[in-house]
Amino acid sequence: MLLTLSPKTLSSSSFFTVHKSQNPKCKSPDSCRFKSLKCSFDRILVKSEVQIERNLEFETGETFFRHESARGRDLGVLSATLYKRSNGSLRVLDAMCGCGIRSLRYLVEAEADFVMANDANDDNRRVITDNLSKVERGTGDERRWVVTHMLANKAMIERYMVADFFDMIDIDSFGSDSSFLRDAFNALRLGGLLYLTSTDGYSSGGHRPYNSLAAYGAFIRPMPFGNEIGLRMLIGGAVREAALLGYHVTPLFSYYSYHGPVFRVMLRVHRGKLHEDRNYGFVTHCNLCGHSHTLRFDELGLMGCPCSDTKASSSLVVSGPMWLGPLHDASYVTEMLELAKEWGWVSEGTGMDLDKLLSIMIEESDPRLPPGYTKMDEMASRAKMNSPPLKKMMSALVKEGYAASRSHIIPNALKTDCPMSHFVRIAKENLHS
Ligand SMILES: C[S@@+](CC[C@H](N)C(=O)[O-])C[C@H]1O[C@@H](n2cnc3c(N)ncnc32)[C@H](O)[C@@H]1O
């Protein structure tokens, strides 16, 4: 019989004593494989944390769990639900499920028909199984969930070898996830969703250019908008890997969270590689004038900075190749926002509200906006003035015919296609008007 616990208190760390014989894995106090369990003569002390997320109660035990990742899980569930609603069925691989909270949410909230909850660490089994037991397991073809303990690559290879494809694969990995990409593309149904996570903040910050080159095929140098570069590098890595297999991907949304930091992108996978992808190339940034622009492969010989200062060539930083197109699909994120409103996931007063986040993502999707953002502080120091209010600056830019948007990555920054010199002039005019 598996160890079962029913904690009486919520969201606090509690200790429970259970009889050793209830735990099939514990042979003796000295050889207990559960790193986290302390066995005494005939009792086990289990540290169990019970959480509530979106009204779902679950336990985390000693698995890796971050409350701060709830927003990323919300976004995954909204996408999964849209998929289920438009395709009629939904089969999910939660490839690194931890305690199984995502699997539980895909089953309950997105009404997934089937979830494979996989985590390489089989010590997590009891917690995952207990959490998923809130949903009837079913049998045979009606089976709604299974728990497996394989390396994520094996879990994907095993399924595609028997032509059993998933509609959605969620890879919530530590570090960089590029080693999972190829198997994930193979194991996904065409038109399916791939939800990728990376916590590799060093690479996106340009501090390990040879690491990013190895993992994503992108040589990344420090740029003032490194966190956006992190998202673009992740999408770019997937674009490249997909092309190798004869597929192409489009980003549905991209989400950066400073807790970690964590970079998440939801991609849709399509058949056929794009022979000429105008959205794949380089980002340049001039540290002298603050101007950023894009450089496609066929423009490499034209490299230079519009500020044409003599010092400019040594101030010009180039990173890539990476994704240059919009970070999100505006109409898709609009559907996500409508669903969030339908479910009442709005104005909850928890950090940045979900509806506000999705609204900013819609703004950021304007295809005229180049990669990067400018912090208002930087603009103010270039213009030698106090920084004007963000909203006032945005409407001034729009009035002059430029695209302008907030950034979901950083609060007091602006994305625009306006060159820095005009930007400073417009700021000065508007601060004094
Ligand atoms: C970031 S945690 C997952 C958190 C979980 N998805 C959530 O939302 O709470 C990563 C998990 O991946 C598991 N893991 C690490 N490497 C793995 C691999 N190669 N294959 C499968 N699971 C792996 C770890 O045991 C850990 O539980």
Side-chain angles (χ1 to χ4, degrees):
M1 189 180 90
L2 275 180
L3 188 68
T4 49
L5 301 170
S6 15
K8 296 181 186 65
T9 53
L10 300 176
S11 55
S12 64
S13 187
S14 316
F15 285 90
F16 301 88
T17 51
V18 289
H19 197 269
K20 188 178 79 179
S21 61
Q22 284 182 290
N23 177 0
K25 288 194 172 177
C26 188
K27 309 228 167 29
S28 83
D30 298 331
S31 65
C32 181
R33 291 179 54 226
F34 290 84
K35 294 180 287 293
S36 53
L37 302 188
K38 278 192 198 156
C39 297
S40 56
F41 295 104
D42 62 348
R43 296 164 89 79
I44 310 167
L45 217 48
V46 183
K47 183 171 176 267
S48 182
E49 187 122 352
V50 175
Q51 304 274 343
I52 296 180
E53 193 166 293
R54 297 270 175 223
N55 294 330
L56 284 171
E57 199 177 297
F58 60 100
E59 141 191 25
T60 54
E62 290 298 317
T63 63
F64 181 93
F65 174 78
R66 288 174 70 102
H67 167 71
E68 296 81 5
S69 302
R71 187 60 84 229
R73 290 188 281 270
D74 285 346
L75 296 171
V77 168
L78 290 174
S79 272
T81 307
L82 291 178
Y83 187 98
K84 164 91 187 197
R85 287 187 180 181
S86 61
N87 294 275
S89 73
L90 174 67
R91 300 178 79 252
V92 181
L93 169 62
D94 185 2
M96 300 191 179
C97 74
C99 68
I101 175 59
R102 281 163 196 256
S103 298
L104 182 63
R105 294 191 59 180
Y106 289 137
L107 285 163
V108 175
E109 296 172 309
E111 298 180 7
D113 300 275
F114 174 74
V115 173
M116 181 166 165
N118 179 71
D119 195 286
N121 186 353
D122 63 359
D123 286 355
N124 293 359
R125 183 170 194 87
R126 181 198 61 78
V127 171
I128 303 168
T129 308
D130 279 2
N131 287 334
L132 297 190
S133 297
K134 294 173 182 73
V135 178
E136 205 163 323
R137 193 197 303 247
T139 52
D141 289 346
E142 303 294 307
R143 199 171 54 157
R144 285 203 62 204
W145 53 269
V146 289
V147 178
T148 55
H149 299 290
M150 291 178 257
L151 290 174
N153 289 82
K154 184 163 186 257
M156 297 186 279
I157 292 169
E158 277 199 354
R159 298 327 306 157
Y160 74 73
M161 291 302 273
V162 293
D164 183 15
F165 302 109
F166 292 100
D167 297 296
M168 177 176 181
I169 299 181
D170 185 330
I171 304 180
D172 187 18
S173 58
F174 305 121
S176 115
D177 59 6
S178 50
S179 61
F180 305 108
L181 286 173
R182 193 166 304 185
D183 291 322
F185 286 132
N186 280 322
L188 258 184
R189 192 180 293 282
L190 286 170
L193 306 178
L194 180 57
Y195 196 16
L196 295 178
T197 300
S198 160
T199 57
D200 187 357
Y202 285 105
S203 291
S204 57
H207 307 298
R208 294 181 183 163
Y210 289 98
N211 280 25
S212 59
L213 188 62
Y216 303 99
F219 196 81
I220 303 296
R221 310 266 318 277
M223 288 185 164
F225 38 87
N227 294 330
E228 186 177 314
I229 294 289
L231 292 171
R232 294 183 177 280
M233 175 180 82
L234 189 55
I235 303 168
V239 165
R240 188 184 65 140
E241 197 69 40
L244 208 69
L245 297 170
Y247 304 133
H248 69 276
V249 296
T250 45
L252 297 175
F253 68 79
S254 314
Y255 172 56
Y256 166 79
S257 161
Y258 64 87
H259 297 289
V262 185
F263 304 85
R264 299 186 195 275
V265 297
M266 181 70 79
L267 306 170
R268 198 191 294 280
V269 182
H270 311 270
R271 184 195 297 279
K273 64 178 163 206
L274 297 182
H275 290 289
E276 190 197 340
D277 194 342
R278 304 292 296 164
N279 285 322
Y280 189 61
F282 300 84
V283 175
T284 69
H285 180 76
C286 173
N287 283 324
L288 206 64
C289 71
H291 186 82
S292 304
H293 71 136
T294 58
L295 200 64
R296 270 117 195 154
F297 280 84
D298 55 356
E299 298 166 334
L300 277 177
L302 312 171
M303 211 164 76
C305 179
C307 74
S308 37
D309 192 289
T310 43
K311 292 186 218 143
S313 54
S314 58
S315 306
L316 198 68
V317 177
V318 183
S319 288
M322 66 179 94
W323 176 255
L324 304 178
L327 289 174
H328 330 275
D329 176 326
S331 61
Y332 187 84
V333 180
T334 304
E335 282 184 60
M336 290 172 74
L337 178 58
E338 278 159 15
L339 181 57
K341 286 182 183 162
E342 182 188 317
W343 283 353
W345 289 6
V346 290
S347 308
E348 297 165 299
T350 48
M352 188 194 281
D353 283 329
L354 185 57
D355 48 335
K356 183 174 173 199
L357 171 68
L358 294 169
S359 303
I360 297 178
M361 286 177 170
I362 294 168
E363 267 179 31
E364 281 179 312
S365 311
D366 187 331
R368 292 174 298 165
L369 291 170
Y373 45 75
T374 305
K375 293 179 197 155
M376 296 308 275
D377 296 349
E378 186 200 333
M379 191 281 306
S381 85
R382 286 186 183 280
K384 298 189 177 37
M385 59 189 273
N386 292 330
S387 84
L390 192 72
K391 280 202 173 145
K392 197 170 173 185
M393 193 63 212
M394 276 175 63
S395 51
L397 286 166
V398 170
K399 214 154 65 193
E400 297 237 1
Y402 293 109
S405 142
R406 292 167 289 175
S407 163
H408 84 274
I409 294 173
I410 179 163
N412 205 24
L414 208 149
K415 290 174 72 64
T416 181
D417 57 347
C418 176
M420 183 59 87
S421 52
H422 296 209
F423 192 91
V424 168
R425 173 189 54 81
I426 295 169
K428 279 184 172 162
E429 285 169 9
N430 280 273
L431 190 71
H432 301 302
S433 63

